[in-house]
Amino acid sequence: MDHAADIASSPELESAAAALKAGGLIILPTETVYGLAADASDARAVAKVYEAKGRPAFNPLIAHVADVAMARRVARFDDRAERLAARFWPGPLTLVLPVADEGAVCDLARAGLDTVAVRAPAHPLAHALLAAFGGPLVAPSANRSGRPSPTTLADAVEETGAAAALALDGGPCRIGLESTVVALLDEARLLRPGSVTRAEIEAEIGPLSEAEADARRSPGRLARHYAPNLPLRLEVTEPRAGEAWLGFGRDGAEPFNLSREGDLAEAAANLFAYLRAADRSGASGIAVAPIPKTGLGEAINDRLRRAAGFVG
C-alpha cells in the first residue's frame, strides 16, 4: 500500500482486520510511531505482543480506538476527558481513565489495573483499520522493549516484523514521538510528555499535578527506555573522539543534526530515527547536544533521559 491511498476499500486492510480477528499481530502506522497491533480484548494476542517486544507485563498498553464513541465503551469519561477528546482527538493524546468494560481491553493489556489508557490516532490508515476491525487495538511501538521506537516501516519490520502477520506502510511518521499521556482519576496528572504540551492541556482543564502517584498506569515509565545499544551522554557541547553527535541548531553537524533550524517539532520527528542511525554508525557512543526544555522540548528530554537510564 502506498502511504494509505485508497485505504477504505483496500484488500490489504481487509486482510489486516482478518488477521487481527484471528489473533495475529499487525505492524500499524500512526502519526506518532509505528505500532505492533493486536486485538485488545484477546489476552493470547496481547501476550504475543509482550513476547515479541520482550516487554515487562507490568507495563500497561494503550488501547487505540477509532473515535470517541468507541472510547466511551472502553473507559468512563468525565467532563475533563470529554473536553480533551473534543480538543485533541484524533491525535497524539492518551487519556488514562477508569475502565468501563474489562472485557474490551483485557486484564493483561491493562497490566492488572482498574484503569485503561486510550487514544484515537490521527493517521488515516490506523483509523481505517480500527473502523474495519470494529474494536480497540493495543498498538505499542513496534520495537523490542527499551529500544528506540520505529518511525519508518523498515525500522518496525527490522525490530518486530518476524512476529507480524502483515505490515501496513503509512510512510514516515509525522510526529515521531509517542503520545502525551494524562491521567484523569482524581487530580489530572501528566504521566508522559509528548507533542500535545502541558500548556495546551492546562488551557483546557486547568493545572496538572506531578506524575508520581499514577506513574505506574502509563506506558513508557521504565527507568531505561527507548535505549540504543551504545552509551548515551546528554547536554554535550563538544563530543568526544569516536562519538556520534546528535546536534540541535548550531550545536552539531550532519548527519545527525536533529534540527539545524532549532525547530523542536523537527527534532522530535527525527529523534528515534537518528538514535537508531547513530547506534548503527560504528561510533563508540552517542553524545546529544542540549535541547531546550520548554514546550515539546520537555517530551524530547524525557525520552533522552530514559534512553540514558536516568529516570524511573
mmCIF file of all heavy atoms in Angstrom, residues 250-269:
data_model
loop_
_atom_site.group_PDB
_atom_site.id
_atom_site.type_symbol
_atom_site.label_atom_id
_atom_site.label_comp_id
_atom_site.label_asym_id
_atom_site.label_seq_id
_atom_site.Cartn_x
_atom_site.Cartn_y
_atom_site.Cartn_z
ATOM 1 N N ARG A 250 22.734 25.136 15.942
ATOM 2 C CA ARG A 250 24.133 25.322 15.554
ATOM 3 C C ARG A 250 25.067 24.402 16.327
ATOM 4 O O ARG A 250 26.252 24.320 16.001
ATOM 5 C CB ARG A 250 24.532 26.783 15.748
ATOM 6 C CG ARG A 250 23.964 27.697 14.657
ATOM 7 C CD ARG A 250 24.337 29.143 14.876
ATOM 8 N NE ARG A 250 23.568 29.736 15.970
ATOM 9 C CZ ARG A 250 23.689 31.001 16.353
ATOM 10 N NH1 ARG A 250 24.539 31.799 15.741
ATOM 11 N NH2 ARG A 250 22.943 31.474 17.330
ATOM 12 N N ASP A 251 24.542 23.731 17.370
ATOM 13 C CA ASP A 251 25.347 22.744 18.113
ATOM 14 C C ASP A 251 25.236 21.401 17.419
ATOM 15 O O ASP A 251 24.355 20.600 17.711
ATOM 16 C CB ASP A 251 24.856 22.621 19.568
ATOM 17 C CG ASP A 251 25.182 23.854 20.386
ATOM 18 O OD1 ASP A 251 26.208 24.500 20.091
ATOM 19 O OD2 ASP A 251 24.409 24.168 21.295
ATOM 20 N N GLY A 252 26.125 21.138 16.481
ATOM 21 C CA GLY A 252 26.098 19.847 15.810
ATOM 22 C C GLY A 252 26.164 19.987 14.306
ATOM 23 O O GLY A 252 25.860 21.044 13.752
ATOM 24 N N ALA A 253 26.590 18.938 13.670
ATOM 25 C CA ALA A 253 26.726 18.927 12.219
ATOM 26 C C ALA A 253 26.060 17.685 11.669
ATOM 27 O O ALA A 253 25.620 16.807 12.409
ATOM 28 C CB ALA A 253 28.210 18.952 11.843
ATOM 29 N N GLU A 254 25.987 17.619 10.348
ATOM 30 C CA GLU A 254 25.436 16.423 9.708
ATOM 31 C C GLU A 254 26.328 15.225 10.024
ATOM 32 O O GLU A 254 27.513 15.406 10.286
ATOM 33 C CB GLU A 254 25.332 16.645 8.199
ATOM 34 C CG GLU A 254 24.449 17.818 7.800
ATOM 35 C CD GLU A 254 23.015 17.674 8.264
ATOM 36 O OE1 GLU A 254 22.569 16.537 8.498
ATOM 37 O OE2 GLU A 254 22.337 18.690 8.416
ATOM 38 N N PRO A 255 25.815 13.983 10.011
ATOM 39 C CA PRO A 255 24.475 13.648 9.500
ATOM 40 C C PRO A 255 23.393 13.581 10.568
ATOM 41 O O PRO A 255 22.269 13.223 10.265
ATOM 42 C CB PRO A 255 24.703 12.250 8.910
ATOM 43 C CG PRO A 255 25.714 11.643 9.834
ATOM 44 C CD PRO A 255 26.630 12.774 10.252
ATOM 45 N N PHE A 256 23.705 13.916 11.834
ATOM 46 C CA PHE A 256 22.748 13.653 12.914
ATOM 47 C C PHE A 256 22.277 14.929 13.613
ATOM 48 O O PHE A 256 22.021 14.917 14.807
ATOM 49 C CB PHE A 256 23.358 12.698 13.945
ATOM 50 C CG PHE A 256 23.803 11.378 13.389
ATOM 51 C CD1 PHE A 256 25.069 10.905 13.647
ATOM 52 C CD2 PHE A 256 22.958 10.624 12.587
ATOM 53 C CE1 PHE A 256 25.488 9.681 13.139
ATOM 54 C CE2 PHE A 256 23.365 9.406 12.063
ATOM 55 C CZ PHE A 256 24.638 8.933 12.341
ATOM 56 N N ASN A 257 22.150 16.027 12.895
ATOM 57 C CA ASN A 257 21.605 17.234 13.499
ATOM 58 C C ASN A 257 20.082 17.114 13.534
ATOM 59 O O ASN A 257 19.428 17.055 12.492
ATOM 60 C CB ASN A 257 22.026 18.477 12.715
ATOM 61 C CG ASN A 257 21.790 19.745 13.508
ATOM 62 O OD1 ASN A 257 20.738 19.916 14.114
ATOM 63 N ND2 ASN A 257 22.772 20.634 13.518
ATOM 64 N N LEU A 258 19.506 17.047 14.733
ATOM 65 C CA LEU A 258 18.067 16.838 14.888
ATOM 66 C C LEU A 258 17.257 17.938 14.220
ATOM 67 O O LEU A 258 16.190 17.681 13.674
ATOM 68 C CB LEU A 258 17.716 16.749 16.369
ATOM 69 C CG LEU A 258 18.260 15.521 17.106
ATOM 70 C CD1 LEU A 258 18.093 15.695 18.612
ATOM 71 C CD2 LEU A 258 17.594 14.257 16.619
ATOM 72 N N SER A 259 17.750 19.164 14.276
ATOM 73 C CA SER A 259 17.116 20.270 13.550
ATOM 74 C C SER A 259 18.119 21.402 13.429
ATOM 75 O O SER A 259 18.425 22.076 14.415
ATOM 76 C CB SER A 259 15.854 20.768 14.254
ATOM 77 O OG SER A 259 15.359 21.928 13.601
ATOM 78 N N ARG A 260 18.624 21.615 12.230
ATOM 79 C CA ARG A 260 19.596 22.681 12.005
ATOM 80 C C ARG A 260 18.984 24.047 12.320
ATOM 81 O O ARG A 260 19.676 24.979 12.735
ATOM 82 C CB ARG A 260 20.084 22.628 10.565
ATOM 83 C CG ARG A 260 21.156 23.654 10.245
ATOM 84 C CD ARG A 260 21.785 23.397 8.902
ATOM 85 N NE ARG A 260 22.557 22.169 8.905
ATOM 86 C CZ ARG A 260 23.771 22.048 9.436
ATOM 87 N NH1 ARG A 260 24.326 23.087 10.032
ATOM 88 N NH2 ARG A 260 24.417 20.911 9.389
ATOM 89 N N GLU A 261 17.654 24.164 12.143
ATOM 90 C CA GLU A 261 16.976 25.433 12.388
ATOM 91 C C GLU A 261 16.533 25.591 13.842
ATOM 92 O O GLU A 261 15.906 26.595 14.198
ATOM 93 C CB GLU A 261 15.749 25.555 11.471
ATOM 94 C CG GLU A 261 16.063 25.457 9.984
ATOM 95 C CD GLU A 261 17.064 26.503 9.542
ATOM 96 O OE1 GLU A 261 16.938 27.666 10.001
ATOM 97 O OE2 GLU A 261 17.981 26.165 8.771
ATOM 98 N N GLY A 262 16.827 24.606 14.678
ATOM 99 C CA GLY A 262 16.400 24.685 16.074
ATOM 100 C C GLY A 262 14.908 24.519 16.256
ATOM 101 O O GLY A 262 14.325 25.076 17.193
ATOM 102 N N ASP A 263 14.276 23.743 15.383
ATOM 103 C CA ASP A 263 12.830 23.512 15.415
ATOM 104 C C ASP A 263 12.546 22.255 16.244
ATOM 105 O O ASP A 263 12.944 21.153 15.868
ATOM 106 C CB ASP A 263 12.333 23.333 13.980
ATOM 107 C CG ASP A 263 10.830 23.211 13.891
ATOM 108 O OD1 ASP A 263 10.242 22.453 14.695
ATOM 109 O OD2 ASP A 263 10.242 23.840 13.005
ATOM 110 N N LEU A 264 11.850 22.406 17.359
ATOM 111 C CA LEU A 264 11.609 21.278 18.254
ATOM 112 C C LEU A 264 10.722 20.220 17.619
ATOM 113 O O LEU A 264 10.895 19.018 17.866
ATOM 114 C CB LEU A 264 10.992 21.764 19.565
ATOM 115 C CG LEU A 264 11.950 22.520 20.493
ATOM 116 C CD1 LEU A 264 11.184 23.162 21.648
ATOM 117 C CD2 LEU A 264 13.034 21.594 21.039
ATOM 118 N N ALA A 265 9.761 20.624 16.794
ATOM 119 C CA ALA A 265 8.910 19.640 16.127
ATOM 120 C C ALA A 265 9.736 18.785 15.165
ATOM 121 O O ALA A 265 9.555 17.563 15.090
ATOM 122 C CB ALA A 265 7.775 20.345 15.382
ATOM 123 N N GLU A 266 10.646 19.412 14.435
ATOM 124 C CA GLU A 266 11.522 18.656 13.538
ATOM 125 C C GLU A 266 12.435 17.734 14.340
ATOM 126 O O GLU A 266 12.669 16.579 13.954
ATOM 127 C CB GLU A 266 12.356 19.612 12.688
ATOM 128 C CG GLU A 266 13.272 18.904 11.687
ATOM 129 C CD GLU A 266 14.137 19.852 10.895
ATOM 130 O OE1 GLU A 266 14.267 21.037 11.294
ATOM 131 O OE2 GLU A 266 14.701 19.413 9.878
ATOM 132 N N ALA A 267 12.944 18.223 15.466
ATOM 133 C CA ALA A 267 13.814 17.397 16.306
ATOM 134 C C ALA A 267 13.072 16.181 16.837
ATOM 135 O O ALA A 267 13.618 15.070 16.875
ATOM 136 C CB ALA A 267 14.362 18.232 17.462
ATOM 137 N N ALA A 268 11.828 16.378 17.261
ATOM 138 C CA ALA A 268 11.044 15.248 17.760
ATOM 139 C C ALA A 268 10.818 14.210 16.667
ATOM 140 O O ALA A 268 10.927 12.999 16.906
ATOM 141 C CB ALA A 268 9.706 15.741 18.298
ATOM 142 N N ALA A 269 10.508 14.675 15.460
ATOM 143 C CA ALA A 269 10.263 13.745 14.362
ATOM 144 C C ALA A 269 11.511 12.958 13.996
ATOM 145 O O ALA A 269 11.431 11.805 13.571
ATOM 146 C CB ALA A 269 9.752 14.512 13.148
#
